[in-house]
Amino acid sequence: MAGDLLLKNVRPLGGEPIDVLLREGRIAPAGAPGGAAEPVECSGAILAPGLVEAHTHLDKTLVGMPWYRNEVGPLLVDKIDNERAQRRLLGIDPERQSARLALQALAFGSTHIRSHVDVDTELGLAAIEGVMATRDRLAGVVDIEIVAFPQSGLLVRPGTVELLEEAMRMGSQVVGGLDPCAIDRDPKGHLDVVFGLAERFGRPVDIHLHEPGELGAFSLELIVERTLALGMQGKVAVSHAFCLGMADPERVAGLVELVAEAEIAIVTTAPPSRPVPAVRQLARAGIVMAAGSDGVRDTWGPYGNGDMLERAMLLGLRNNLRRDDELELALEVCTAGGARVMALEDYGLEPGCRADLVLLEGETVAEAVVSRAPRRLVIKGGRIVARDGRALVEAA
Amino acid sequence: MAGDLLLKNVRPLGGEPIDVLLREGRIAPAGAPGGAAEPVECSGAILAPGLVEAHTHLDKTLVGMPWYRNEVGPLLVDKIDNERAQRRLLGIDPERQSARLALQALAFGSTHIRSHVDVDTELGLAAIEGVMATRDRLAGVVDIEIVAFPQSGLLVRPGTVELLEEAMRMGSQVVGGLDPCAIDRDPKGHLDVVFGLAERFGRPVDIHLHEPGELGAFSLELIVERTLALGMQGKVAVSHAFCLGMADPERVAGLVELVAEAEIAIVTTAPPSRPVPAVRQLARAGIVMAAGSDGVRDTWGPYGNGDMLERAMLLGLRNNLRRDDELELALEVCTAGGARVMALEDYGLEPGCRADLVLLEGETVAEAVVSRAPRRLVIKGGRIVARDGRALVEAA
């Protein structure tokens, strides 16, 4: 590890300019002697804790590959089936692709990534193995957490449960799930497997829940029941949760209460074309919210680049956040919120926290979010890992 | 004017690479002798007609000014009242600000801009005069069309009608209107004034219609009636038209038929937090659609940068456009659609068209839209006016 750094003239979350000493990979107490620390002039840039990409799919991005012409049909199942076919045809290598996207995300300031990684009966555990190799190779550069994710269904494809179990045994950190009704057609069976594995391996859960309206509300209730029954408060995340955006304020208010009681975190990608959980409403209810890019330039869709500051902007646009204090909330979702979902220890700007940091350009946090200027510096464990929008580590 | 240009190795809208000669400010026929034209190597970049910013507010952007901390209340009237107050407090100079934003938009590839410009009893015609000065100064660099826009209401503020009339007499090109029910509280009176001025000055109409659901549908019907009665088919645009995004497919289908019959164009900013007209539905009905940034970094909200390629991406995200052919539609809305709304003559890539062009990076149009790389070249009237994302003309 390189030596200590003294960040000169940074403004923590847009506050007054100070110098911040990074010593042995952590933030030193204010006024600690700098000693031989290397000074880095930061010219009043905003200091924020590292961005947290809390929902992406590192294993199947096409970043760095030739452009994929998308001619896929309109249904969810069209996209799932097409993806399995294209994985073979295009030669999407999970190790190579995950490294490319992880480093691109790092260049945009994400120091932590939660990635869902496909497990199915065609692919087996190849994607898990590939992303694990990247996770290990990039340890200390960008932290990657792996969710074993039954993208093609769990019970509808016999053999998947065993693969998911093996993925956990190999060292996946989170048990994934997907639309217990709409995809697996057996919500009780699906959730019993997911929560059963979580209990057995002592790991958290993160379930994709695209199901809209009352269908999603039903699945969400089942998730709440199991979370409470197993005492898993604080260990369950629901991604997307479109049902919390449905057009029935009273029903949504009731669900929000349940989610808050079960201490379930909600992870959103803030898609402009779907109903979404309302950030301000969930924040008022004390629910932990995180955000993610979802798939980045893959066979599902062409969008995305892994920039969580752009995601904060999209979160703001989707939730009609206009005031400066509201955009501070958007950034909080993309930093501290993600950190809570990933149960990161020692995350933040307090003395003693790990020096996982990003420098943002702007007079205020709001300006930084809407401007999305290239990140001047990204720091991981006290070491500079990206500069002026470029990672200092090479992908394979 | 500089001499002729020979664009070497460009791919018109992503097609096969060819050379394109620009002669005397226009696109020359294929195979025309290049003569002394200066060759410009374009390395396979995508050639598109200039982007068209069909709905913005050049007069009140804060681009280039100190960051404005937004603490405004939630209502529409809060934003309108705050803006009138801030205009004085912040010293928002319409001439200076419109030039800044117009040149920023140009650097992003917009060769044509329709700007609504505020007219009210406090401001008088100062904003119209300021943007006119910019329009004249930048003639030949970026074309600006001015909509005289009663932002604070027309009939609710006595004296505004006379000012709007004077704005038209001074040379505003389009008569603007705003929420005939919600703001002016007198839909018949409002629309009679707007269409009366249009008839008298022989100019087109562009009406902001934020009114949601049935209220907006009612106003839209009134607009259709007047368009048909006055024979103004093809000369009326409705901006926003949130009512076309309401959750009643049959009602919307009926409105879409009316809009198509009256040949009314719909201009959208594709806001992620509002119901919006569905791009595919309107395209199928043969309705002309255009897009715009709306306000860019102003007292209404912090978002926006004037990049119409980013707007095409947001249009795609808002309408869940994923396929390559769908993103081609998004770009078409931001180019040819805007050109039809602005009634531009000789616009496009055909021989004889004016050489108002932009070079985009990407294998396909879809990749160009989602990547939004800095524009390599922007050409106006056959002359290079921006390069690598920077305008070659200075703001005041």
Side-chain angles (χ1 to χ4, degrees):
Chain A
M1 181 187 288
D4 298 339
L5 297 176
L6 179 64
L7 304 180
K8 306 271 293 179
N9 194 16
V10 291
R11 294 183 301 121
L13 294 176
E16 291 303 306
I18 58 170
D19 297 347
V20 172
L21 176 66
L22 311 181
R23 195 169 55 191
E24 295 173 9
R26 292 181 181 267
I27 297 171
E38 179 191 346
V40 180
E41 178 53 49
C42 298
S43 315
I46 295 171
L47 180 69
L51 296 162
V52 179
E53 166 64 85
H55 185 114
T56 188
H57 296 265
L58 291 180
D59 53 318
K60 48 192 182 186
T61 179
L62 303 175
V63 160
M65 292 175 65
W67 182 253
Y68 167 69
R69 178 174 280 274
N70 187 316
E71 296 173 328
V72 186
L75 301 179
L76 185 59
V77 71
D78 294 334
K79 296 176 177 69
I80 293 175
D81 290 348
N82 175 65
E83 177 175 63
R84 279 203 315 282
Q86 295 298 337
R87 208 154 44 198
R88 292 190 306 277
L89 292 169
L90 299 176
I92 307 173
D93 179 75
E95 181 176 350
R96 178 193 66 205
Q97 292 308 111
S98 60
R100 282 180 178 163
L101 181 52
L103 291 176
Q104 183 166 314
L106 179 70
F108 283 122
S110 284
T111 52
H112 297 82
I113 300 172
R114 171 177 279 193
S115 177
H116 298 256
V117 179
D118 285 9
V119 173
D120 68 47
T121 50
E122 270 185 50
L123 179 68
L125 297 161
I128 294 281
E129 288 163 359
V131 180
M132 277 188 179
T134 294
R135 179 184 72 183
D136 296 345
R137 183 163 75 78
L138 296 181
V141 175
V142 52
D143 287 349
I144 297 171
E145 184 180 51
I146 293 173
V147 185
F149 175 51
Q151 169 78 77
S152 296
L154 193 49
L155 300 174
V156 284
R157 298 198 155 244
T160 309
V161 172
E162 293 73 16
L163 287 165
L164 207 63
E165 188 179 333
E166 181 58 23
M168 294 310 300
R169 196 175 293 121
M170 287 163 63
S172 299
Q173 291 118 306
V174 182
V175 183
L178 169 71
D179 293 339
C181 293
I183 298 288
D184 241 13
R185 328 303 288 178
D186 177 1
K188 176 181 184 302
H190 182 96
L191 292 173
D192 284 352
V193 169
V194 168
F195 279 87
L197 287 173
E199 215 185 357
R200 187 164 145 212
F201 287 93
R203 304 302 314 177
V205 162
D206 191 335
I207 298 172
H208 279 63
L209 190 60
H210 308 93
E211 295 166 2
E214 283 299 340
L215 186 63
F218 168 64
S219 290
L220 187 56
E221 287 169 349
L222 297 183
I223 293 168
V224 167
E225 287 165 13
R226 283 159 178 75
T227 302
L228 293 173
L230 295 172
M232 282 187 65
Q233 292 92 329
K235 295 189 187 299
V236 175
V238 173
S239 287
H240 305 305
F242 295 149
C243 60
L244 291 178
M246 71 171 146
D248 181 343
E250 283 303 309
R251 180 74 166 114
V252 169
L255 291 169
V256 164
E257 261 183 55
L258 286 180
V259 168
E261 185 197 343
E263 296 173 36
I264 291 173
I266 300 295
V267 185
T268 185
T269 68
S273 65
R274 295 295 187 90
V276 290
V279 169
R280 279 172 291 209
Q281 180 183 22
L282 270 60
R284 278 195 302 272
I287 294 170
V288 173
M289 286 205 78
S293 300
D294 210 346
V296 171
R297 197 176 281 213
D298 60 23
T299 65
W300 289 68
Y303 301 100
N305 53 15
D307 181 355
M308 287 302 296
L309 205 57
E310 184 157 294
R311 189 60 44 186
M313 180 189 80
L314 290 169
L315 189 69
L317 282 168
R318 182 68 186 85
N319 286 273
N320 200 19
L321 309 181
R322 293 166 179 250
R323 295 163 53 101
D324 274 61
D325 54 4
E326 294 175 329
L327 280 162
E328 288 164 12
L329 172 61
L331 184 67
E332 195 182 319
V333 169
C334 296
T335 53
R340 288 188 63 184
V341 167
M342 289 180 67
L344 302 181
E345 289 176 7
D346 307 336
Y347 174 92
L349 296 182
E350 299 303 309
C353 287
R354 289 183 55 84
D356 298 338
L357 303 166
V358 59
L359 287 188
L360 309 177
E361 306 289 327
E363 279 183 49
T364 68
V365 161
E367 185 179 11
V369 168
V370 301
S371 304
R372 302 159 282 148
R375 309 310 111 82
R376 197 182 312 176
L377 285 183
V378 183
I379 293 169
K380 176 72 183 169
R383 188 165 63 111
I384 295 173
V385 288
R387 193 190 294 274
D388 298 328
R390 304 181 76 91
L392 302 178
V393 181
E394 296 261 315
Chain B
M1 181 185 289
D4 298 340
L5 297 176
L6 180 64
L7 304 180
K8 307 270 295 177
N9 194 15
V10 290
R11 294 183 302 119
L13 294 175
E16 292 303 306
I18 58 170
D19 296 348
V20 173
L21 176 65
L22 310 181
R23 197 169 54 192
E24 295 172 9
R26 291 180 182 265
I27 297 173
E38 180 191 346
V40 180
E41 177 52 50
C42 298
S43 314
I46 294 172
L47 180 68
L51 296 163
V52 179
E53 165 65 83
H55 185 113
T56 189
H57 296 265
L58 291 179
D59 53 318
K60 47 195 183 183
T61 179
L62 303 176
V63 160
M65 293 175 65
W67 182 253
Y68 168 69
R69 178 173 279 274
N70 186 316
E71 295 172 329
V72 187
L75 302 180
L76 183 60
V77 71
D78 294 334
K79 296 176 177 68
I80 292 175
D81 290 348
N82 176 65
E83 177 174 65
R84 277 202 317 281
Q86 294 298 337
R87 208 153 43 198
R88 290 190 306 275
L89 293 169
L90 300 175
I92 307 173
D93 179 74
E95 180 176 352
R96 178 191 66 205
Q97 292 308 110
S98 59
R100 283 181 177 162
L101 181 52
L103 291 176
Q104 183 166 314
L106 179 70
F108 283 123
S110 284
T111 52
H112 299 81
I113 299 172
R114 170 178 280 193
S115 176
H116 298 255
V117 179
D118 285 8
V119 173
D120 69 44
T121 50
E122 268 185 54
L123 178 68
L125 297 161
I128 294 279
E129 288 164 359
V131 180
M132 276 189 181
T134 293
R135 179 184 72 182
D136 296 345
R137 183 164 75 79
L138 296 182
V141 174
V142 52
D143 287 349
I144 297 171
E145 184 180 52
I146 293 173
V147 186
F149 175 50
Q151 170 78 76
S152 295
L154 192 51
L155 301 174
V156 284
R157 298 197 154 246
T160 309
V161 173
E162 293 73 16
L163 287 166
L164 207 62
E165 187 180 333
E166 180 59 22
M168 294 310 299
R169 197 174 295 122
M170 286 164 64
S172 299
Q173 290 118 308
V174 182
V175 183
L178 169 71
D179 293 340
C181 292
I183 298 287
D184 240 13
R185 329 304 286 180
D186 177 1
K188 177 183 183 302
H190 182 95
L191 292 173
D192 284 351
V193 169
V194 169
F195 279 87
L197 287 173
E199 215 186 356
R200 184 162 147 214
F201 287 92
R203 303 303 315 176
V205 161
D206 191 336
I207 299 172
H208 279 63
L209 189 61
H210 307 94
E211 295 165 2
E214 284 300 339
L215 186 62
F218 168 64
S219 291
L220 187 56
E221 287 168 349
L222 297 183
I223 292 168
V224 167
E225 287 165 14
R226 282 160 179 75
T227 302
L228 293 173
L230 295 172
M232 281 188 65
Q233 292 93 329
K235 296 189 186 298
V236 175
V238 173
S239 287
H240 305 306
F242 295 148
C243 60
L244 291 178
M246 70 171 145
D248 182 343
E250 283 303 308
R251 180 74 166 114
V252 169
L255 292 169
V256 165
E257 261 183 56
L258 285 181
V259 168
E261 185 197 343
E263 296 171 36
I264 291 172
I266 300 295
V267 185
T268 185
T269 68
S273 66
R274 296 295 187 91
V276 290
V279 169
R280 279 173 293 210
Q281 181 183 23
L282 269 60
R284 277 195 303 274
I287 294 170
V288 173
M289 287 204 76
S293 300
D294 211 344
V296 171
R297 196 176 282 213
D298 58 23
T299 64
W300 289 68
Y303 301 100
N305 52 16
D307 182 355
M308 286 302 296
L309 204 57
E310 184 157 294
R311 188 60 43 184
M313 181 189 79
L314 290 168
L315 190 67
L317 283 168
R318 183 67 187 84
N319 286 274
N320 200 20
L321 310 180
R322 293 166 179 250
R323 297 164 51 102
D324 274 61
D325 54 4
E326 294 174 328
L327 280 163
E328 288 164 11
L329 172 61
L331 184 67
E332 195 183 318
V333 169
C334 297
T335 52
R340 287 186 64 183
V341 167
M342 288 180 67
L344 302 181
E345 289 177 5
D346 308 337
Y347 174 91
L349 296 182
E350 299 302 310
C353 287
R354 288 183 56 84
D356 297 339
L357 304 165
V358 59
L359 287 188
L360 309 177
E361 306 289 327
E363 280 181 48
T364 67
V365 161
E367 185 179 10
V369 168
V370 301
S371 304
R372 302 158 281 148
R375 308 310 112 81
R376 196 180 314 174
L377 285 183
V378 183
I379 294 168
K380 177 71 184 171
R383 187 164 65 114
I384 295 173
V385 288
R387 191 191 294 275
D388 299 327
R390 303 182 76 91
L392 303 179
V393 181
E394 298 260 316

